[in-house]
Amino acid sequence: MGDNMAKQEGPAIPSPSMQQQISLPEVRSRDEWQAARDDLLVEEKALMKARDSLAAKRRRLPMTPVRSDYRFVGRDDEVDLLGLFAGRRQLIVYRFFYAPDVENWPDGSCSGCAFFADTVTHPAHLAARDTSLVFVTAAPQERITALKARMGWEQLPFFTLVGDEFSSDFGVEEMFGVIVFIRDGDRIYQTYFLNGRGIEEIGPAWSLLDITPLGRQEDWQDVPEGRPQGAPYEWWRLHDNYGAVAAEHTNR
């Protein structure tokens, strides 16, 4: 296909709901619908509270030290694991599969990884909470540049893995994974890992922050003593209105 990325035309995917008769919900009066909705809302709020409780437990997980000398090639330079933090306190790394032995090569990546990248928040919102998000993959930078342009991912920082050690050390040789790190000065620690089912709930800024040890850093959250907290809502901005806090991401 050459150097220009062409969209791969796969087999047509018909919508099942348009191809067959399906069972629709019951028709009820407005009052009956509202009563059923109110009943379900009680369960939804209970689930929300359970998720808040689970996130609080996640913030209390221990951390384990990791080495920092893994190497990654960015658009302009090569960095170690500490460099991926871009000076921030926390780092979320997504192991992205884009390589000759992966579906859709060379003009596309793993479909599941692409699906995730399509749903993830703008990294400026995470930067405002002292958190960097990066994608690491085996593909060279010239391929990554073309893929990002095709998919509209210019805002997402992608790095090329140097060698296999990072993938093998963190169990992401053959399957995607989300790995969370925190640093204390130049010392780096792993705090969390996720792959398989459960990834479908990750993507919005709040869900990504909820897998970090500092959380959303809002004063309603249950956090260990000494963690940063502030008023909710007040830190939210348009993603291009955070100023210097997000500048590092735009340069990668």
Side-chain angles (χ1 to χ4, degrees), residues 94-138:
Y94 181 91
R95 169 60 162 102
F96 188 96
F97 279 83
Y98 181 35
D101 59 346
V102 177
E103 61 168 329
N104 299 319
W105 179 266
D107 296 317
S109 66
C110 161
S111 298
C113 290
F115 203 114
F116 177 78
D118 277 336
T119 65
V120 79
T121 189
H122 196 289
H125 300 300
L126 302 177
R129 299 283 88 180
D130 209 15
T131 303
S132 289
L133 169 69
V134 303
F135 291 71
V136 299
T137 188

mmCIF file of all heavy atoms in Angstrom, residues 94-138:
data_model
loop_
_atom_site.group_PDB
_atom_site.id
_atom_site.type_symbol
_atom_site.label_atom_id
_atom_site.label_comp_id
_atom_site.label_asym_id
_atom_site.label_seq_id
_atom_site.Cartn_x
_atom_site.Cartn_y
_atom_site.Cartn_z
ATOM 1 N N TYR A 94 -0.328 2.697 28.515
ATOM 2 C CA TYR A 94 -1.131 1.687 27.821
ATOM 3 C C TYR A 94 -0.244 0.976 26.815
ATOM 4 O O TYR A 94 0.344 1.609 25.931
ATOM 5 C CB TYR A 94 -2.320 2.318 27.091
ATOM 6 C CG TYR A 94 -3.197 1.295 26.384
ATOM 7 C CD1 TYR A 94 -4.277 0.719 27.036
ATOM 8 C CD2 TYR A 94 -2.921 0.891 25.079
ATOM 9 C CE1 TYR A 94 -5.068 -0.236 26.407
ATOM 10 C CE2 TYR A 94 -3.701 -0.057 24.438
ATOM 11 C CZ TYR A 94 -4.772 -0.611 25.110
ATOM 12 O OH TYR A 94 -5.556 -1.563 24.483
ATOM 13 N N ARG A 95 -0.134 -0.341 26.958
ATOM 14 C CA ARG A 95 0.645 -1.146 26.001
ATOM 15 C C ARG A 95 -0.228 -1.394 24.781
ATOM 16 O O ARG A 95 -1.219 -2.118 24.834
ATOM 17 C CB ARG A 95 1.085 -2.458 26.651
ATOM 18 C CG ARG A 95 1.679 -3.496 25.685
ATOM 19 C CD ARG A 95 2.926 -2.988 24.956
ATOM 20 N NE ARG A 95 3.688 -4.081 24.390
ATOM 21 C CZ ARG A 95 3.680 -4.420 23.095
ATOM 22 N NH1 ARG A 95 2.935 -3.761 22.234
ATOM 23 N NH2 ARG A 95 4.429 -5.417 22.671
ATOM 24 N N PHE A 96 0.137 -0.770 23.669
ATOM 25 C CA PHE A 96 -0.645 -0.736 22.436
ATOM 26 C C PHE A 96 -0.011 -1.685 21.423
ATOM 27 O O PHE A 96 1.211 -1.662 21.226
ATOM 28 C CB PHE A 96 -0.638 0.700 21.906
ATOM 29 C CG PHE A 96 -1.537 0.976 20.750
ATOM 30 C CD1 PHE A 96 -2.795 1.507 20.946
ATOM 31 C CD2 PHE A 96 -1.110 0.748 19.452
ATOM 32 C CE1 PHE A 96 -3.630 1.793 19.869
ATOM 33 C CE2 PHE A 96 -1.930 1.026 18.369
ATOM 34 C CZ PHE A 96 -3.192 1.553 18.579
ATOM 35 N N PHE A 97 -0.815 -2.495 20.746
ATOM 36 C CA PHE A 97 -0.278 -3.484 19.812
ATOM 37 C C PHE A 97 -0.401 -2.995 18.370
ATOM 38 O O PHE A 97 -1.484 -2.882 17.816
ATOM 39 C CB PHE A 97 -0.962 -4.830 20.011
ATOM 40 C CG PHE A 97 -0.374 -5.593 21.158
ATOM 41 C CD1 PHE A 97 -0.783 -5.341 22.456
ATOM 42 C CD2 PHE A 97 0.642 -6.514 20.952
ATOM 43 C CE1 PHE A 97 -0.213 -6.002 23.527
ATOM 44 C CE2 PHE A 97 1.227 -7.187 22.018
ATOM 45 C CZ PHE A 97 0.801 -6.933 23.310
ATOM 46 N N TYR A 98 0.765 -2.686 17.818
ATOM 47 C CA TYR A 98 0.894 -2.235 16.435
ATOM 48 C C TYR A 98 2.255 -2.713 15.957
ATOM 49 O O TYR A 98 3.294 -2.170 16.347
ATOM 50 C CB TYR A 98 0.770 -0.714 16.382
ATOM 51 C CG TYR A 98 0.858 -0.099 15.001
ATOM 52 C CD1 TYR A 98 0.350 -0.744 13.873
ATOM 53 C CD2 TYR A 98 1.439 1.163 14.824
ATOM 54 C CE1 TYR A 98 0.421 -0.170 12.626
ATOM 55 C CE2 TYR A 98 1.514 1.760 13.573
ATOM 56 C CZ TYR A 98 1.006 1.090 12.481
ATOM 57 O OH TYR A 98 1.077 1.665 11.236
ATOM 58 N N ALA A 99 2.264 -3.772 15.165
ATOM 59 C CA ALA A 99 3.514 -4.430 14.777
ATOM 60 C C ALA A 99 3.232 -5.372 13.601
ATOM 61 O O ALA A 99 2.066 -5.681 13.311
ATOM 62 C CB ALA A 99 4.093 -5.211 15.959
ATOM 63 N N PRO A 100 4.277 -5.857 12.926
ATOM 64 C CA PRO A 100 4.069 -6.731 11.777
ATOM 65 C C PRO A 100 3.294 -8.007 12.078
ATOM 66 O O PRO A 100 2.656 -8.566 11.183
ATOM 67 C CB PRO A 100 5.505 -7.046 11.320
ATOM 68 C CG PRO A 100 6.289 -5.852 11.740
ATOM 69 C CD PRO A 100 5.691 -5.445 13.058
ATOM 70 N N ASP A 101 3.337 -8.498 13.308
ATOM 71 C CA ASP A 101 2.626 -9.739 13.628
ATOM 72 C C ASP A 101 1.242 -9.483 14.225
ATOM 73 O O ASP A 101 0.629 -10.398 14.789
ATOM 74 C CB ASP A 101 3.456 -10.592 14.593
ATOM 75 C CG ASP A 101 3.769 -9.879 15.907
ATOM 76 O OD1 ASP A 101 3.573 -8.645 15.977
ATOM 77 O OD2 ASP A 101 4.222 -10.550 16.854
ATOM 78 N N VAL A 102 0.737 -8.260 14.081
ATOM 79 C CA VAL A 102 -0.567 -7.885 14.620
ATOM 80 C C VAL A 102 -1.513 -7.579 13.461
ATOM 81 O O VAL A 102 -1.088 -7.066 12.414
ATOM 82 C CB VAL A 102 -0.438 -6.660 15.555
ATOM 83 C CG1 VAL A 102 -1.808 -6.222 16.068
ATOM 84 C CG2 VAL A 102 0.484 -6.980 16.722
ATOM 85 N N GLU A 103 -2.788 -7.891 13.619
ATOM 86 C CA GLU A 103 -3.789 -7.634 12.575
ATOM 87 C C GLU A 103 -3.696 -6.199 12.047
ATOM 88 O O GLU A 103 -3.310 -5.282 12.757
ATOM 89 C CB GLU A 103 -5.198 -7.858 13.144
ATOM 90 C CG GLU A 103 -5.540 -6.922 14.307
ATOM 91 C CD GLU A 103 -7.007 -6.943 14.670
ATOM 92 O OE1 GLU A 103 -7.847 -7.164 13.783
ATOM 93 O OE2 GLU A 103 -7.312 -6.740 15.865
ATOM 94 N N ASN A 104 -4.042 -6.046 10.788
ATOM 95 C CA ASN A 104 -4.159 -4.755 10.099
ATOM 96 C C ASN A 104 -2.830 -4.102 9.725
ATOM 97 O O ASN A 104 -2.837 -3.019 9.136
ATOM 98 C CB ASN A 104 -4.984 -3.751 10.927
ATOM 99 C CG ASN A 104 -6.401 -4.222 11.182
ATOM 100 O OD1 ASN A 104 -7.053 -4.779 10.290
ATOM 101 N ND2 ASN A 104 -6.882 -4.012 12.406
ATOM 102 N N TRP A 105 -1.706 -4.726 10.093
ATOM 103 C CA TRP A 105 -0.412 -4.156 9.720
ATOM 104 C C TRP A 105 -0.285 -4.125 8.197
ATOM 105 O O TRP A 105 -0.735 -5.039 7.526
ATOM 106 C CB TRP A 105 0.712 -5.011 10.314
ATOM 107 C CG TRP A 105 2.085 -4.533 9.971
ATOM 108 C CD1 TRP A 105 2.870 -4.958 8.936
ATOM 109 C CD2 TRP A 105 2.832 -3.524 10.660
ATOM 110 N NE1 TRP A 105 4.057 -4.291 8.927
ATOM 111 C CE2 TRP A 105 4.066 -3.402 9.968
ATOM 112 C CE3 TRP A 105 2.577 -2.705 11.748
ATOM 113 C CZ2 TRP A 105 5.042 -2.494 10.362
ATOM 114 C CZ3 TRP A 105 3.547 -1.812 12.154
ATOM 115 C CH2 TRP A 105 4.764 -1.708 11.456
ATOM 116 N N PRO A 106 0.326 -3.123 7.597
ATOM 117 C CA PRO A 106 1.031 -2.006 8.231
ATOM 118 C C PRO A 106 0.184 -0.739 8.400
ATOM 119 O O PRO A 106 0.622 0.216 9.021
ATOM 120 C CB PRO A 106 2.164 -1.732 7.248
ATOM 121 C CG PRO A 106 1.542 -2.012 5.907
ATOM 122 C CD PRO A 106 0.620 -3.183 6.136
ATOM 123 N N ASP A 107 -1.011 -0.732 7.822
ATOM 124 C CA ASP A 107 -1.770 0.515 7.793
ATOM 125 C C ASP A 107 -2.761 0.667 8.934
ATOM 126 O O ASP A 107 -3.482 1.660 9.001
ATOM 127 C CB ASP A 107 -2.521 0.636 6.458
ATOM 128 C CG ASP A 107 -1.559 0.726 5.286
ATOM 129 O OD1 ASP A 107 -0.569 1.458 5.415
ATOM 130 O OD2 ASP A 107 -1.789 0.052 4.268
ATOM 131 N N GLY A 108 -2.806 -0.302 9.821
ATOM 132 C CA GLY A 108 -3.696 -0.232 10.964
ATOM 133 C C GLY A 108 -3.145 -1.060 12.106
ATOM 134 O O GLY A 108 -2.253 -1.885 11.933
ATOM 135 N N SER A 109 -3.709 -0.844 13.276
ATOM 136 C CA SER A 109 -3.237 -1.514 14.489
ATOM 137 C C SER A 109 -4.228 -2.567 14.938
ATOM 138 O O SER A 109 -5.247 -2.818 14.285
ATOM 139 C CB SER A 109 -3.073 -0.472 15.607
ATOM 140 O OG SER A 109 -4.356 0.056 15.949
ATOM 141 N N CYS A 110 -3.955 -3.164 16.078
ATOM 142 C CA CYS A 110 -4.910 -4.050 16.734
ATOM 143 C C CYS A 110 -6.244 -3.315 16.865
ATOM 144 O O CYS A 110 -6.301 -2.172 17.333
ATOM 145 C CB CYS A 110 -4.377 -4.426 18.118
ATOM 146 S SG CYS A 110 -5.605 -5.047 19.275
ATOM 147 N N SER A 111 -7.330 -3.961 16.465
ATOM 148 C CA SER A 111 -8.643 -3.313 16.494
ATOM 149 C C SER A 111 -9.061 -2.955 17.914
ATOM 150 O O SER A 111 -9.638 -1.886 18.163
ATOM 151 C CB SER A 111 -9.693 -4.219 15.861
ATOM 152 O OG SER A 111 -9.400 -4.464 14.502
ATOM 153 N N GLY A 112 -8.782 -3.840 18.864
ATOM 154 C CA GLY A 112 -9.156 -3.572 20.244
ATOM 155 C C GLY A 112 -8.391 -2.397 20.834
ATOM 156 O O GLY A 112 -8.961 -1.550 21.526
ATOM 157 N N CYS A 113 -7.086 -2.337 20.548
ATOM 158 C CA CYS A 113 -6.282 -1.211 21.040
ATOM 159 C C CYS A 113 -6.750 0.095 20.414
ATOM 160 O O CYS A 113 -6.812 1.140 21.085
ATOM 161 C CB CYS A 113 -4.811 -1.446 20.727
ATOM 162 S SG CYS A 113 -4.041 -2.779 21.693
ATOM 163 N N ALA A 114 -7.093 0.046 19.123
ATOM 164 C CA ALA A 114 -7.588 1.243 18.458
ATOM 165 C C ALA A 114 -8.923 1.675 19.050
ATOM 166 O O ALA A 114 -9.185 2.875 19.210
ATOM 167 C CB ALA A 114 -7.721 0.990 16.960
ATOM 168 N N PHE A 115 -9.768 0.704 19.368
ATOM 169 C CA PHE A 115 -11.055 1.014 19.985
ATOM 170 C C PHE A 115 -10.841 1.764 21.290
ATOM 171 O O PHE A 115 -11.508 2.772 21.576
ATOM 172 C CB PHE A 115 -11.820 -0.287 20.230
ATOM 173 C CG PHE A 115 -13.303 -0.145 20.340
ATOM 174 C CD1 PHE A 115 -14.143 -0.702 19.392
ATOM 175 C CD2 PHE A 115 -13.887 0.527 21.402
ATOM 176 C CE1 PHE A 115 -15.527 -0.578 19.487
ATOM 177 C CE2 PHE A 115 -15.255 0.666 21.517
ATOM 178 C CZ PHE A 115 -16.081 0.110 20.548
ATOM 179 N N PHE A 116 -9.888 1.285 22.095
ATOM 180 C CA PHE A 116 -9.590 1.951 23.361
ATOM 181 C C PHE A 116 -9.080 3.369 23.127
ATOM 182 O O PHE A 116 -9.534 4.322 23.769
ATOM 183 C CB PHE A 116 -8.570 1.154 24.159
ATOM 184 C CG PHE A 116 -8.158 1.833 25.445
ATOM 185 C CD1 PHE A 116 -8.976 1.795 26.554
ATOM 186 C CD2 PHE A 116 -6.953 2.519 25.529
ATOM 187 C CE1 PHE A 116 -8.607 2.434 27.736
ATOM 188 C CE2 PHE A 116 -6.570 3.162 26.703
ATOM 189 C CZ PHE A 116 -7.412 3.105 27.805
ATOM 190 N N ALA A 117 -8.131 3.522 22.215
ATOM 191 C CA ALA A 117 -7.568 4.844 21.950
ATOM 192 C C ALA A 117 -8.635 5.820 21.482
ATOM 193 O O ALA A 117 -8.580 7.013 21.798
ATOM 194 C CB ALA A 117 -6.443 4.742 20.917
ATOM 195 N N ASP A 118 -9.614 5.326 20.734
ATOM 196 C CA ASP A 118 -10.705 6.186 20.274
ATOM 197 C C ASP A 118 -11.561 6.702 21.423
ATOM 198 O O ASP A 118 -12.226 7.730 21.297
ATOM 199 C CB ASP A 118 -11.610 5.427 19.301
ATOM 200 C CG ASP A 118 -11.081 5.422 17.876
ATOM 201 O OD1 ASP A 118 -10.306 6.332 17.516
ATOM 202 O OD2 ASP A 118 -11.458 4.513 17.102
ATOM 203 N N THR A 119 -11.586 5.985 22.533
ATOM 204 C CA THR A 119 -12.488 6.353 23.630
ATOM 205 C C THR A 119 -11.796 7.134 24.745
ATOM 206 O O THR A 119 -12.474 7.660 25.623
ATOM 207 C CB THR A 119 -13.118 5.096 24.266
ATOM 208 O OG1 THR A 119 -12.096 4.299 24.895
ATOM 209 C CG2 THR A 119 -13.832 4.244 23.223
ATOM 210 N N VAL A 120 -10.487 7.218 24.710
ATOM 211 C CA VAL A 120 -9.766 7.783 25.853
ATOM 212 C C VAL A 120 -9.868 9.303 25.871
ATOM 213 O O VAL A 120 -9.993 9.957 24.837
ATOM 214 C CB VAL A 120 -8.290 7.314 25.823
ATOM 215 C CG1 VAL A 120 -7.475 8.122 24.815
ATOM 216 C CG2 VAL A 120 -7.656 7.408 27.193
ATOM 217 N N THR A 121 -9.820 9.868 27.059
ATOM 218 C CA THR A 121 -9.948 11.309 27.248
ATOM 219 C C THR A 121 -8.790 12.071 26.625
ATOM 220 O O THR A 121 -7.731 11.513 26.335
ATOM 221 C CB THR A 121 -10.000 11.620 28.756
ATOM 222 O OG1 THR A 121 -10.330 12.991 28.954
ATOM 223 C CG2 THR A 121 -8.657 11.340 29.417
ATOM 224 N N HIS A 122 -8.970 13.362 26.450
ATOM 225 C CA HIS A 122 -7.850 14.209 26.043
ATOM 226 C C HIS A 122 -6.860 14.260 27.207
ATOM 227 O O HIS A 122 -7.241 14.526 28.354
ATOM 228 C CB HIS A 122 -8.333 15.615 25.706
ATOM 229 C CG HIS A 122 -7.334 16.417 24.942
ATOM 230 N ND1 HIS A 122 -6.184 16.896 25.523
ATOM 231 C CD2 HIS A 122 -7.302 16.815 23.649
ATOM 232 C CE1 HIS A 122 -5.483 17.555 24.626
ATOM 233 N NE2 HIS A 122 -6.136 17.528 23.473
ATOM 234 N N PRO A 123 -5.572 14.017 26.960
ATOM 235 C CA PRO A 123 -4.599 13.934 28.066
ATOM 236 C C PRO A 123 -4.404 15.234 28.830
ATOM 237 O O PRO A 123 -3.859 15.217 29.930
ATOM 238 C CB PRO A 123 -3.311 13.492 27.371
ATOM 239 C CG PRO A 123 -3.493 13.816 25.937
ATOM 240 C CD PRO A 123 -4.958 13.682 25.662
ATOM 241 N N ALA A 124 -4.860 16.360 28.301
ATOM 242 C CA ALA A 124 -4.724 17.619 29.034
ATOM 243 C C ALA A 124 -5.495 17.583 30.345
ATOM 244 O O ALA A 124 -5.077 18.182 31.342
ATOM 245 C CB ALA A 124 -5.207 18.786 28.173
ATOM 246 N N HIS A 125 -6.632 16.883 30.364
ATOM 247 C CA HIS A 125 -7.425 16.805 31.590
ATOM 248 C C HIS A 125 -6.669 16.035 32.676
ATOM 249 O O HIS A 125 -6.754 16.361 33.865
ATOM 250 C CB HIS A 125 -8.770 16.142 31.314
ATOM 251 C CG HIS A 125 -9.603 16.875 30.310
ATOM 252 N ND1 HIS A 125 -10.016 18.175 30.488
ATOM 253 C CD2 HIS A 125 -10.085 16.488 29.096
ATOM 254 C CE1 HIS A 125 -10.733 18.555 29.438
ATOM 255 N NE2 HIS A 125 -10.782 17.561 28.574
ATOM 256 N N LEU A 126 -5.935 14.997 32.268
ATOM 257 C CA LEU A 126 -5.120 14.244 33.219
ATOM 258 C C LEU A 126 -3.914 15.062 33.673
ATOM 259 O O LEU A 126 -3.537 15.030 34.852
ATOM 260 C CB LEU A 126 -4.657 12.931 32.585
ATOM 261 C CG LEU A 126 -5.767 12.007 32.097
ATOM 262 C CD1 LEU A 126 -5.169 10.782 31.421
ATOM 263 C CD2 LEU A 126 -6.680 11.593 33.236
ATOM 264 N N ALA A 127 -3.333 15.798 32.740
ATOM 265 C CA ALA A 127 -2.184 16.640 33.087
ATOM 266 C C ALA A 127 -2.552 17.638 34.175
ATOM 267 O O ALA A 127 -1.736 17.972 35.036
ATOM 268 C CB ALA A 127 -1.671 17.369 31.847
ATOM 269 N N ALA A 128 -3.787 18.098 34.154
ATOM 270 C CA ALA A 128 -4.243 19.041 35.178
ATOM 271 C C ALA A 128 -4.284 18.409 36.560
ATOM 272 O O ALA A 128 -4.307 19.120 37.569
ATOM 273 C CB ALA A 128 -5.627 19.576 34.814
ATOM 274 N N ARG A 129 -4.258 17.089 36.618
ATOM 275 C CA ARG A 129 -4.196 16.356 37.882
ATOM 276 C C ARG A 129 -2.822 15.729 38.085
ATOM 277 O O ARG A 129 -2.681 14.713 38.775
ATOM 278 C CB ARG A 129 -5.269 15.261 37.928
ATOM 279 C CG ARG A 129 -6.700 15.774 37.827
ATOM 280 C CD ARG A 129 -7.191 16.385 39.138
ATOM 281 N NE ARG A 129 -6.860 17.803 39.245
ATOM 282 C CZ ARG A 129 -7.167 18.579 40.287
ATOM 283 N NH1 ARG A 129 -7.813 18.062 41.330
ATOM 284 N NH2 ARG A 129 -6.846 19.845 40.293
ATOM 285 N N ASP A 130 -1.789 16.321 37.476
ATOM 286 C CA ASP A 130 -0.393 15.891 37.676
ATOM 287 C C ASP A 130 -0.165 14.462 37.202
ATOM 288 O O ASP A 130 0.608 13.705 37.791
ATOM 289 C CB ASP A 130 -0.018 16.026 39.157
ATOM 290 C CG ASP A 130 1.463 16.292 39.358
ATOM 291 O OD1 ASP A 130 2.147 16.642 38.378
ATOM 292 O OD2 ASP A 130 1.945 16.135 40.490
ATOM 293 N N THR A 131 -0.851 14.082 36.113
ATOM 294 C CA THR A 131 -0.804 12.713 35.602
ATOM 295 C C THR A 131 -0.537 12.724 34.107
ATOM 296 O O THR A 131 -1.199 13.456 33.363
ATOM 297 C CB THR A 131 -2.133 11.991 35.882
ATOM 298 O OG1 THR A 131 -2.392 12.010 37.291
ATOM 299 C CG2 THR A 131 -2.101 10.550 35.394
ATOM 300 N N SER A 132 0.417 11.925 33.652
ATOM 301 C CA SER A 132 0.698 11.751 32.229
ATOM 302 C C SER A 132 0.119 10.437 31.738
ATOM 303 O O SER A 132 0.128 9.437 32.458
ATOM 304 C CB SER A 132 2.204 11.785 31.960
ATOM 305 O OG SER A 132 2.728 13.082 32.129
ATOM 306 N N LEU A 133 -0.371 10.448 30.518
ATOM 307 C CA LEU A 133 -0.861 9.243 29.844
ATOM 308 C C LEU A 133 -0.055 9.056 28.571
ATOM 309 O O LEU A 133 0.060 9.988 27.760
ATOM 310 C CB LEU A 133 -2.341 9.387 29.496
ATOM 311 C CG LEU A 133 -2.924 8.317 28.570
ATOM 312 C CD1 LEU A 133 -2.992 6.957 29.272
ATOM 313 C CD2 LEU A 133 -4.315 8.721 28.069
ATOM 314 N N VAL A 134 0.514 7.869 28.373
ATOM 315 C CA VAL A 134 1.245 7.580 27.142
ATOM 316 C C VAL A 134 0.879 6.189 26.646
ATOM 317 O O VAL A 134 0.458 5.315 27.410
ATOM 318 C CB VAL A 134 2.780 7.671 27.329
ATOM 319 C CG1 VAL A 134 3.187 9.031 27.854
ATOM 320 C CG2 VAL A 134 3.290 6.571 28.234
ATOM 321 N N PHE A 135 1.044 6.004 25.334
ATOM 322 C CA PHE A 135 0.873 4.712 24.685
ATOM 323 C C PHE A 135 2.252 4.245 24.233
ATOM 324 O O PHE A 135 3.014 5.036 23.661
ATOM 325 C CB PHE A 135 -0.053 4.834 23.478
ATOM 326 C CG PHE A 135 -1.487 5.131 23.828
ATOM 327 C CD1 PHE A 135 -1.870 6.372 24.311
ATOM 328 C CD2 PHE A 135 -2.458 4.154 23.679
ATOM 329 C CE1 PHE A 135 -3.195 6.642 24.642
ATOM 330 C CE2 PHE A 135 -3.787 4.406 24.004
ATOM 331 C CZ PHE A 135 -4.156 5.652 24.479
ATOM 332 N N VAL A 136 2.566 2.979 24.485
ATOM 333 C CA VAL A 136 3.839 2.436 24.028
ATOM 334 C C VAL A 136 3.560 1.247 23.121
ATOM 335 O O VAL A 136 2.652 0.451 23.367
ATOM 336 C CB VAL A 136 4.751 2.025 25.208
ATOM 337 C CG1 VAL A 136 5.076 3.234 26.068
ATOM 338 C CG2 VAL A 136 4.135 0.927 26.063
ATOM 339 N N THR A 137 4.352 1.116 22.070
ATOM 340 C CA THR A 137 4.114 0.089 21.072
ATOM 341 C C THR A 137 5.421 -0.294 20.393
ATOM 342 O O THR A 137 6.431 0.409 20.540
ATOM 343 C CB THR A 137 3.083 0.581 20.035
ATOM 344 O OG1 THR A 137 2.704 -0.492 19.174
ATOM 345 C CG2 THR A 137 3.628 1.731 19.215
ATOM 346 N N ALA A 138 5.394 -1.385 19.630
ATOM 347 C CA ALA A 138 6.611 -1.852 18.973
ATOM 348 C C ALA A 138 6.873 -1.151 17.647
ATOM 349 O O ALA A 138 7.982 -1.197 17.127
ATOM 350 C CB ALA A 138 6.521 -3.370 18.729
#
